[in-house]
Amino acid sequence: MIGRRSAILQTFLGLVVLVLAAGAQNQPELSTQAAASTGQAVSLPEAKAPELLPTSDPKEIVRRSVEKDHRSLELARNYTCQQREVEKRLSKNGEVKSTEIRTYDVTFYYGEEYSRLVQKDDKPLSASDQKKEDEKLEKFLSKLR
């Protein structure tokens, strides 16, 4: 989790540097009307959401980043899907010797992804396998707490 946050922080800081460098160049931009009269392509600001207008204010950049990060975490908390893995073992002749299918529920706990085995070979887990998966989940959650 710390490595992931560090990578996110590095990416964020890189973006801040790029935005600040772009603002420091002080290159004048053509207005929409002037660009249209010269035949240049025009990007219309009304096509963007007001919150996405460019800014060189570092506090505003940080505020937007934190807001987006919180929104992403909220969406991740509600995100769940199933992942199905099919593993086929082949003989020397290239024929399928055996097939193993595992189905996982993928969810997020405390911002971390967790895959929980729910089926083997398209059949529910046995009681002992279910108990093992419950123990793995509890260990994962206690580590995050």
Side-chain angles (χ1 to χ4, degrees):
M1 189 160 107
I2 293 172
R4 183 174 170 192
R5 286 185 181 175
S6 176
I8 291 170
L9 181 60
Q10 287 177 347
T11 303
F12 170 72
L13 291 176
L15 289 172
V16 169
V17 169
L18 287 174
V19 169
L20 292 175
Q25 290 178 356
N26 286 333
Q27 293 180 350
E29 295 182 13
L30 294 174
S31 69
T32 304
Q33 291 177 347
S37 66
T38 61
Q40 293 180 345
V42 177
S43 64
L44 300 175
E46 53 270 10
K48 293 182 180 178
E51 64 192 23
L52 298 178
L53 293 176
T55 183
S56 60
D57 178 25
K59 288 182 182 180
E60 179 62 15
I61 293 169
V62 171
R63 186 195 66 77
R64 289 179 187 179
S65 175
V66 169
E67 184 179 297
K68 295 287 183 185
D69 190 42
H70 285 299
R71 176 72 178 137
S72 295
L73 286 174
E74 284 299 316
L75 291 173
R77 284 188 190 129
N78 298 323
Y79 177 78
T80 184
C81 70
Q82 282 197 334
Q83 177 181 348
R84 189 169 188 260
E85 295 178 358
V86 179
E87 184 178 313
K88 295 182 180 183
R89 292 188 180 86
L90 305 177
S91 66
K92 293 180 182 178
N93 301 330
E95 297 171 356
V96 177
K97 190 166 54 170
S98 65
T99 302
E100 186 176 323
I101 302 170
R102 291 180 298 279
T103 305
Y104 297 90
D105 274 343
V106 180
T107 55
F108 284 84
Y109 294 101
Y110 302 103
E112 293 292 318
E113 181 179 321
Y114 183 78
S115 298
R116 179 184 175 124
L117 183 65
V118 291
Q119 290 183 345
K120 282 185 181 177
D121 297 324
D122 293 331
K123 296 175 186 167
L125 296 178
S126 65
S128 63
D129 287 340
Q130 182 68 38
K131 185 176 179 180
K132 287 178 188 176
E133 287 300 315
D134 290 342
E135 289 170 359
K136 282 184 193 177
L137 176 60
E138 192 56 42
K139 184 177 178 181
F140 177 79
L141 292 175
S142 66
K143 182 178 126 182
L144 290 177
R145 290 181 194 139

